[in-house]
Amino acid sequence: MLRSGGWRMELGELPAARAPAPPSASSGTCWLEGLLNRSCRPIGGLAGPIRPRPQPVSANPRVATGPVPRRARPSERFFRVGPGAEAMAPWALLTPGVLVRTGHTVLTWGITLVLFLHDTALRQWEEQGELLLPLTFLLLVLASLLLYLTVSLMDPGYVNVLPQPQEEAKEEQTAMVPQAIPLRRCRYCMVLQPLRARHCRECRRCVRRYDHHCPWMENCVGERNHPLFVAYLALQLVVLLWALYLAWSGLRFFQPWGLWLRSSGLLFATFLLLSLFSLVAGLLLASHLYLVASNTTTWEFISSHRIAYLRQRPGNPFDRGLTRNLAHFFCGWPSGSWEALWAEDEEEEGSQAV
C-alpha cells in the first residue's frame, strides 16, 4: 500500500501500464515522481548543513574525550634506541669546536710523523743514537698541543649573568668611580658590561677584556686566557721554526724530477705548509706583543673610533708604561679594576689641566 496526500491506492489497483524506466544520469528526474505525484529532492540538496555526530562524553574524568593530539616529532638531534627512549645522535657531537680541535691534533701529529719517516736531521739523530734532540722536539710538540687545548677549552673570562658576592663587593668598592664612565647593558644577554668587555656573537656571551674570537681555537681570547694565548703563540712559533729546519734538511734537489717527486713530494708540501704557519704565527705573536706592551686589545685597536670610553680620550687611558703593562698582563700586578685605572687617568688629566 502506498499513501500519498489524502488518498491511498492498493498495489493491485495499479494500471497495467509499463513501469517507467529509471532516469538517466542526465535527466535529473526521479521515477517516483510519477507514482507519488510529488517532487523528489536530491541528497545534495538537503536543507541545512550536515553536522558531525557528537562524540560521547565519558563520566570518568580521567578518560580524555577530546581529540587525541598528534605526537610531537622528535628533534633531529635525537634518535630512538628503545621503546619510548631517545638519545643524542652521533652527528650532533660534531660541533665546530670538536672538528677544529680534532683537525689541529691530527695535523700536528701528521706533520711530526712525516718528519720522522723521511731522511731528515731528526731521523739521522735517531739513527746515530742521539735521542736528546728528538725527545726534546717531541716534548715541545706535545706541550704546544696541550697548551692549545687548554686555551681553546678554558673560560676566557665570561661575565656572569647572576652577580656573585665577590662581584657585589667590587661594585661597592668602585662606587666612588666617576659616573662619566660609559658602562652599558648588553643588548643580547642583558648583563651590565664591565669596562673593556664585549659581547661575542659566536660564543653568545660577554667576555671581559675582549680581544678577539679565534676561529682556529673556536674560543674567545679574553682576560683569563690571553696570557696563555701569547705563550702558546711563542711556543708554537719555536716548534714551527724547528720543524721548518728539519723539513729543509730532508730535501734533496739533485735528483731526476720523477724520482724527487716520489721521494720528497710529501716532504716539500710539508715544508710549504710549515712556512705558511710560521709566517702567520710570527705575525700574530708580534702584533699581540705590541698590544700587550701598550695595554690594549685587538678590538680596541681596530674599533677605537666606535668605543665610547676611547673616543673621549686622545690616547690609551689604560697605558701605564712598558714595565707595568707587562707585569699586569702576565702576573696580574698591580691589581685593580679597569674602572679604577680609567678614573686615575681622568684625575691625572684634570690635575694637569689645572
Side-chain angles (χ1 to χ4, degrees):
M1 180 185 293
L2 297 176
R3 183 180 299 273
S4 175
W7 58 275
R8 65 181 182 177
M9 179 175 61
E10 299 291 341
L11 292 177
E13 300 177 1
L14 287 175
R18 188 175 63 179
S24 62
S26 60
S27 63
T29 59
C30 181
W31 63 276
L32 288 177
E33 291 183 358
L35 296 178
L36 303 179
N37 196 19
R38 295 182 64 180
S39 61
C40 297
R41 179 178 296 174
I43 296 177
L46 295 178
I50 300 178
R51 299 180 179 180
R53 182 178 180 181
Q55 297 182 359
V57 180
S58 175
N60 188 357
R62 297 184 179 181
V63 178
T65 58
V68 179
R70 184 180 179 182
R71 186 176 183 136
R73 183 179 180 181
S75 174
E76 295 180 356
R77 294 172 58 89
F78 296 88
F79 68 98
R80 296 190 177 278
V81 295
E86 291 184 355
M88 181 169 288
W91 55 84
L93 301 177
L94 299 179
T95 60
V98 173
L99 295 177
V100 167
R101 297 178 188 106
T102 304
H104 178 85
T105 304
V106 172
L107 186 61
T108 300
W109 291 118
I111 291 177
T112 305
L113 184 62
V114 169
L115 296 177
F116 268 100
L117 293 179
H118 287 78
D119 189 16
T120 60
L122 193 64
R123 186 172 180 179
Q124 294 175 7
W125 295 334
E126 182 183 0
E127 293 176 353
Q128 294 173 6
E130 299 177 359
L131 300 180
L132 180 60
L133 291 177
L135 288 178
T136 304
F137 179 76
L138 287 178
L139 290 177
L140 288 179
V141 172
L142 181 60
S144 66
L145 183 59
L146 293 178
L147 195 56
Y148 164 82
L149 295 176
T150 302
V151 176
S152 62
L153 294 174
M154 72 179 299
D155 180 9
Y158 293 128
V159 179
N160 294 326
V161 179
L162 299 177
Q164 302 295 330
Q166 297 179 357
E167 294 186 357
E168 294 178 358
K170 289 183 180 180
E171 293 180 359
E172 295 176 358
Q173 294 174 3
T174 58
M176 301 303 296
V177 176
Q179 298 297 327
I181 298 179
L183 299 181
R184 66 187 185 93
R185 189 172 295 276
C186 178
R187 62 178 179 176
Y188 297 100
C189 52
M190 301 305 295
V191 299
L192 189 62
Q193 289 182 342
L195 208 61
R196 311 186 76 178
R198 186 177 185 269
H199 184 86
C200 178
R201 296 185 180 181
E202 286 78 10
C203 297
R204 299 180 181 180
R205 296 284 298 275
C206 286
V207 182
R208 297 179 182 271
R209 198 184 178 276
Y210 176 86
D211 188 87
H212 71 284
H213 181 88
C214 183
W216 187 248
M217 293 190 174
E218 196 60 28
N219 193 16
C220 282
V221 177
E223 189 174 53
R224 293 192 60 188
N225 63 348
H226 198 179
L228 291 179
F229 178 76
V230 175
Y232 161 73
L233 288 178
L235 181 59
Q236 187 66 59
L237 182 60
V238 172
V239 174
L240 288 173
L241 292 177
W242 195 352
L244 191 65
Y245 162 75
L246 294 175
W248 178 260
S249 66
L251 294 176
R252 303 291 185 269
F253 297 99
F254 301 101
Q255 293 178 355
W257 173 253
L259 180 60
W260 179 87
L261 189 62
R262 287 192 300 269
S263 60
S264 303
L266 182 59
L267 186 61
F268 183 70
T270 303
F271 174 79
L272 295 179
L273 191 62
L274 290 172
S275 302
L276 178 62
F277 287 164
S278 302
L279 179 62
V280 173
L283 292 177
L284 283 176
L285 180 61
S287 62
H288 277 275
L289 288 178
Y290 170 77
L291 295 175
V292 170
S294 58
N295 200 353
T296 186
T297 62
T298 304
W299 173 58
E300 293 173 345
F301 181 79
I302 296 176
S303 306
S304 58
H305 60 284
R306 297 190 296 131
I307 302 176
Y309 60 83
L310 294 181
R311 289 200 309 260
Q312 302 175 4
R313 304 293 179 86
N316 183 13
F318 308 106
D319 190 3
R320 290 297 181 269
L322 177 61
T323 305
R324 295 186 63 183
N325 291 340
L326 294 178
H328 185 272
F329 181 80
F330 290 105
C331 305
W333 181 88
S335 61
S337 62
W338 302 117
E339 291 81 3
L341 291 177
W342 196 89
E344 289 178 6
D345 186 76
E346 185 180 12
E347 292 178 359
E348 291 178 0
E349 289 186 356
S351 60
Q352 292 177 1
V354 173

